[in-house]
Amino acid sequence: MVRGTEEALKEHPCYSKEAHDKFARMHVPVAPRCNIQCNYCNRKYDCSNESRPGVTSEVLSPEEAVEKIRAVKEKIPYLSVIGIAGPGDPLANEETFRTLELVSREFPDLTLCVSTNGLALPHNAQRLYDLGVRFLTVTMNASDPAVGEMIYGKVQWEGKTYSGKEGAEMLLRNQLAGIEKCVELGMMVKINIVMVPGINDEHIPELVKKVKALGVYIVNILPLIPVEGTKFSGRRAPTPEERKKLMDACELDVRMMRHCRQCRADAIGLLGEDRSSEFMKMGSCQAGCGPSSDRSGPSLVKVDEKGPLRIAVATSGGKIVDSGFGNAPRFDVYEISEDNAEFLRTVVVDTSKNVAGSSHKEHIENIADLLDDCSAIIVKEIGPMPAKLLEKRGKTVRIYSGEVGRSAFGLRGL
Ligand code: CLF
Ligand code: SF4
């Protein structure tokens, strides 16, 4: 039985601003294939320190997804939404439908949410509805094919590949027809728009008016994330001021989402706290530094044997272990000896160098260089790539969330 949509709306962290810091969503990455190519998308890079749509550290089968939901639900009782948002297009993957079926059967209390490019939506709207989906997002960046052709590469539809204006026309036509059908069925439709300065920024108000007329519930204008290896890698993201100005103007026509976190395809937790690395598949993290407490667990930092030991802690303010390895703005280095921890220095990291793609790898290597005199690193989370790199360098990694103190260091007593 599907939960009442009104009731579910109040607990949906993306659709309701009031819910965003109280209820969690979990994305299950069961959909690796895509049927179009957006000029800003590159799904090649895979690292849990890289947070943007299209990125995941693992792809799950529908059965694995259900198993993972069981584990997450136990740890996160305020989980309210299961979303399928990639890493490709959910509707281009039959696994999406199998997952929805299994999840709705086992967890009728959870709300189902799907995010799609909309190409296959007219053919699947009824199917999604019948499986219990009431919250649907379409990422739509243009309503004019002349603008659309600058954003999309190829479009694959019914065994043929289209490009240029023809491809954009096909996609936009299906998006509009799909949105109309979903609204008619009574779904809460959200439109995500990627704002690309110089390409669609001036066209967005017209697009918003068009989708508003179709009866969408809310619109979300996201900034372009320029990603290496894509056509738009050299383009700039809009400034926060430019985006705010556009959102303010469009808000006169439609409800505007302003709390989006541009989540990964495997994001888990409240919108502001991604806990996906805590629940990674056993063995997916090469250094064995997976979740902290609910599986076999990371190796604890050993402070005996070889005398003084230097440990780096990922902490933004010095008091709490609150950062991932790749996105930490600062590490505090401690020397541990004879059951004591003595503060040595703070290492400040230039996070502006943390750009998706190969520069991201350089960023990770630079941090490892800065912490080269440390034998162990304590972080809130870490992805497979940095974990492997640290393992190669002989470092011990500990995943820990909580205060920087004796327990974080693995020391006994208070
Ligand atoms: Fe996921 Fe999207 Fe559903 Fe939310 S995300 S499928 S509607 S449950 Fe939310 Fe993440 Fe922004 Fe998406 S913050 S990227 S809007
Ligand atoms: Fe990437 Fe999504 Fe565009 Fe497909 S629809 S190319 S997964 S951004």
Side-chain angles (χ1 to χ4, degrees), residues 34-38 40-43 54 87-89 117 152:
C34 192
N35 43 15
I36 67 172
Q37 179 59 60
C38 302
Y40 49 74
C41 175
N42 184 348
R43 286 169 284 136
D89 184 66
N117 61 38
Y152 303 106

Side-chain angles (χ1 to χ4, degrees), residues 312-315 328-333 343-350 366-367 369-374:
V313 188
T315 171
R330 145 185 174 181
F331 289 83
D332 282 358
V333 177
F343 173 75
L344 278 190
R345 69 176 198 276
T346 290
V347 174
V348 177
V349 178
D350 181 359
N366 287 340
I367 304 174
D369 289 346
L370 290 169
L371 305 177
D372 205 37
D373 61 331
C374 299

Side-chain angles (χ1 to χ4, degrees), residues 166-188:
E166 198 189 9
E169 259 164 12
M170 170 83 62
L171 175 63
L172 307 191
R173 194 168 48 241
N174 281 12
Q175 287 174 327
L176 293 170
I179 292 167
E180 202 171 355
K181 205 160 178 183
C182 290
V183 172
E184 260 172 37
L185 286 166
M187 290 188 193
M188 308 293 285

